[in-house]
Amino acid sequence: MTLATTLRDLHVPGTPVVLPNAWDAASARMVEEAGFPAVATSSFATATILGYDDGESAPVDDVLAATARIARTVSVPVTVDFERGFRLAPAELVERFVATGAVGLNLEDSDPATGAMVEAGEQAEFLAAVRAAAGADLVINARVDTFIRRAGAPEEQLRSAIDRANRYLAAGADCVYPIGTSDPDVIQSLVKEISGPVNVSFGQGDRSLAELAGLGVARITFGPMLQRHLYDRLAGAVLPALVAGENPFLS
């Protein structure tokens, strides 16, 4: 069984794979050692450790090198938030990405530079070309950005998300990721009307893992939430205590 097959098989509606998002080799190793069956990354968190803003600002060579370091550090499947592919043509994208050792990737349907939604048919064609180049070697998680980009009224966002998700699955995506909603009624509608596995984000913890599983999702991710939590602790408590001459490690 390949790592891609292992990752693909973890996507079970109602019994979701939980993927804490890592940002470097050390955090990826911690995720694996904690017992999680796969490692995901966050583009925001990875860009931060590379010294760039999110939104494909980091050079693709740096992102791929960071991905390769993570993949060779752990033995479980690695899936990467690859934004919209850094403007690589599908064949080159697949060739360079597969060489890192990672076996899954997120591809979003809005332009990271402008925030504009990509036309659904164009995105479906892009995903189909990636699938054709990759065969079964990559698990494609197609991100749907209608909620975070506020593309229309709430009901329009929902209908568009469902339509886009089903198009992307038909084009060869393994899973879809309608990012940006934590409303249980919306999530339930997405799961009911989308003909494949649905990934949701944990958000700020307004829904428990058990509640999200009960809604029928197949994958739960955290984006940069874990990194932000640790870095906020460092910036908000540890460093100020040191500046004040106190020992922050006693409490």
Side-chain angles (χ1 to χ4, degrees):
M1 182 178 292
T2 67
L3 288 175
T5 300
T6 298
L7 177 61
R8 190 174 285 114
D9 289 349
L10 291 171
H11 293 72
V12 180
T15 310
V17 58
V18 177
L19 299 176
N21 296 74
W23 52 91
D24 60 10
S27 57
R29 188 181 294 114
M30 291 179 193
V31 170
E32 180 183 31
E33 290 176 349
F36 292 93
V39 171
T41 72
S42 155
S43 66
F44 182 101
T46 301
T48 295
I49 61 104
L50 293 175
Y52 295 90
D53 293 329
D54 196 20
E56 295 189 349
S57 296
V60 66
D61 289 349
D62 289 5
V63 174
L64 290 169
T67 298
R69 284 192 292 273
I70 290 170
R72 71 170 175 259
T73 299
V74 299
S75 60
V76 296
V78 174
T79 180
V80 175
D81 182 351
F82 206 54
E83 306 206 49
R84 198 167 178 268
F86 291 83
R87 303 189 184 278
L88 298 176
E92 181 185 2
L93 186 161
V94 169
E95 180 180 11
R96 298 185 66 184
F97 189 86
V98 168
T100 68
V103 297
L105 78 173
N106 292 2
L107 291 169
E108 60 201 51
D109 64 352
S110 65
D111 187 329
T114 66
M117 296 295 298
V118 177
E119 194 274 323
E122 178 184 345
Q123 182 69 2
E125 290 178 2
F126 173 63
L127 294 171
V130 172
R131 171 56 69 211
D137 291 338
L138 282 181
V139 178
I140 300 172
N141 189 28
R143 206 177 87 174
V144 183
D145 289 357
T146 54
F147 296 113
I148 61 167
R149 300 303 186 188
R150 301 188 184 280
E155 180 60 27
E156 292 175 308
Q157 293 172 29
L158 174 60
R159 301 320 309 172
S160 176
I162 292 168
D163 175 68
R164 283 175 175 266
N166 284 322
R167 288 193 188 205
Y168 302 162
L169 289 164
D174 297 284
C175 182
V176 291
Y177 182 15
I179 189 174
T181 182
S182 60
D183 184 315
D185 292 333
V186 172
I187 294 173
Q188 202 158 46
S189 294
L190 292 167
V191 168
K192 180 180 179 181
E193 298 189 50
I194 291 172
S195 58
V198 174
N199 175 188
V200 297
S201 54
F202 189 68
Q204 296 305 311
D206 40 4
R207 304 290 165 198
S208 70
L209 295 176
E211 286 175 309
L212 293 172
L215 294 172
V217 304
R219 172 169 167 161
I220 301 172
T221 47
F222 297 76
M225 183 180 180
L226 303 181
Q227 186 199 61
R228 285 179 176 177
H229 178 76
L230 294 174
Y231 285 10
D232 285 349
R233 169 68 179 164
L234 177 65
V238 175
L239 295 179
L242 292 173
V243 169
E246 301 169 356
N247 186 341
F249 306 111
L250 293 179
S251 57

